[in-house]
């Protein structure tokens, strides 16, 4: 190993263990590396416990799902640790539509039966029916999806290797934002009527 590389490695290791943790302070602006640390004198055990996954979750949108996010903005203990979580609840027939994150994701199915999959940059789809206890990985930035194909509601938990992995749903990106209808029509090859219908579904007309 070159001497310069060795010292770079030592420097990175020493930086990594300089703090035991960095519970984020969401009242301050978030930078490229996350939130500034909360005053350690004010950190309590409660800062390391997230209760947002408790209880029943009722699917509440056009997709028939309810997604409960535990990213660093709602669970600041994840700040700086490079991890986050979410709970996915599906009504019968519910879906998590095609979407992507800045990170990789691992899913654990705890109730029901779903089809889960992702599509790589060669347009090859990798998908499978999952049963309770099954785990599936979705590589970084790949478009992926989940569909409840069972006769009962389904629930899954996911973990992502970033404290703020973001969530970009393809349908809402195209039809729920400020993208003009004529542009959406051109880039999707949908008719004007179809684009108008999609924008109406997502509440932007």
């Amino acid at each position: 190993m070159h001497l310069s590389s060795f010292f770079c490695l030592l420097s990175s290791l020493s930086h990594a263990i300089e703090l035991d943790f960095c519970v984020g302070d969401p009242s301050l602006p978030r930078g490229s590396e996350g939130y500034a640390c909360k005053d350690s004198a004010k950190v309590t055990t409660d800062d390391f416990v997230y209760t947002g996954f408790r209880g029943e979750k009722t699917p509440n949108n056009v997709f028939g799902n309810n997604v409960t996010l535990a990213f660093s903005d709602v669970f600041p203990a994840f700040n700086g640790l490079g991890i986050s979580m979410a709970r996915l609840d599906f009504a019968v027939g519910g879906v998590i539509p095609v979407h992507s994150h800045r990170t990789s994701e691992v899913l654990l199915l705890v109730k029901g039966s779903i089809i889960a999959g992702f599509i790589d940059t060669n347009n090859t789809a990798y998908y499978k029916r999952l049963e309770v206890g099954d785990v599936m990985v979705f590589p970084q930035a790949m478009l992926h999806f989940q569909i409840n194909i069972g006769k009962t509601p389904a629930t899954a938990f996911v973990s992502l290797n970033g404290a703020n992995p973001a969530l970009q749903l393809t349908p809402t990106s195209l039809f729920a934002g400020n993208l003009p209808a004529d542009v959406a029509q051109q880039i999707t090859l949908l008719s004007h009527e179809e684009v108008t219908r999609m924008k109406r579904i997502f509440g932007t007309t």
Side-chain angles (χ1 to χ4, degrees), residues 174-175 177-187 195 199:
L174 289 170
F175 304 113
N178 65 346
L179 187 68
D182 59 336
V183 176
Q185 181 179 340
Q186 289 177 301
I187 64 176
V195 169
K199 282 188 166 288

Side-chain angles (χ1 to χ4, degrees), residues 21-24 47-49 71-72 74-81 83:
F21 50 79
C22 177
V23 174
D47 287 307
F48 299 97
V49 178
F71 293 177
S72 59
V74 296
F75 189 23
F78 277 149
N79 187 59
L81 299 182
I83 53 175

Side-chain angles (χ1 to χ4, degrees), residues 21 25 33 39 45 48 53 115 160 162 175 177 184:
F21 50 79
D25 186 348
E33 295 185 2
D39 183 349
T45 302
F48 299 97
F53 291 158
I115 287 179
L160 305 100
F175 304 113

Side-chain angles (χ1 to χ4, degrees), residues 65-92:
N65 71 52
N66 187 314
V67 177
T68 306
L69 300 177
F71 293 177
S72 59
D73 55 342
V74 296
F75 189 23
F78 277 149
N79 187 59
L81 299 182
I83 53 175
S84 58
M85 295 185 68
R87 171 176 167 168
L88 314 180
D89 287 275
F90 304 80
V92 175

Side-chain angles (χ1 to χ4, degrees), residues 58-122:
T58 302
N60 56 4
N61 56 40
V62 68
F63 298 115
N65 71 52
N66 187 314
V67 177
T68 306
L69 300 177
F71 293 177
S72 59
D73 55 342
V74 296
F75 189 23
F78 277 149
N79 187 59
L81 299 182
I83 53 175
S84 58
M85 295 185 68
R87 171 176 167 168
L88 314 180
D89 287 275
F90 304 80
V92 175
V95 306
I96 306 292
V98 174
H99 64 284
S100 63
H101 310 281
R102 290 188 284 256
T103 63
S104 301
E105 174 183 331
V106 58
L107 176 148
L108 169 64
L109 187 66
V110 298
K111 183 171 74 173
S113 179
I114 67 173
I115 287 179
F118 67 91
I119 305 168
D120 72 8
T121 55
N122 293 315

Side-chain angles (χ1 to χ4, degrees), residues 88 90 107-116 128-136 147-157:
L88 314 180
F90 304 80
L107 176 148
L108 169 64
L109 187 66
V110 298
K111 183 171 74 173
S113 179
I114 67 173
I115 287 179
K128 188 175 180 65
R129 177 171 181 152
L130 304 182
E131 304 294 344
V132 171
D134 289 347
V135 171
M136 186 169 186
I147 308 168
N148 182 6
I149 57 169
K151 297 181 179 180
T152 62
T155 301
F157 289 92

Side-chain angles (χ1 to χ4, degrees), residues 124-194:
T124 300
Y126 299 87
Y127 60 95
K128 188 175 180 65
R129 177 171 181 152
L130 304 182
E131 304 294 344
V132 171
D134 289 347
V135 171
M136 186 169 186
V137 170
F138 308 100
Q140 181 175 352
M142 295 289 99
L143 293 171
H144 56 289
F145 57 89
Q146 293 92 27
I147 308 168
N148 182 6
I149 57 169
K151 297 181 179 180
T152 62
T155 301
F157 289 92
V158 301
S159 181
L160 305 100
N161 63 332
N164 180 36
L167 169 62
Q168 185 174 29
L169 296 171
T170 302
T172 52
S173 295
L174 289 170
F175 304 113
N178 65 346
L179 187 68
D182 59 336
V183 176
Q185 181 179 340
Q186 289 177 301
I187 64 176
T188 62
L189 301 181
L190 296 175
S191 69
H192 173 75
E193 291 75 15
E194 290 169 323

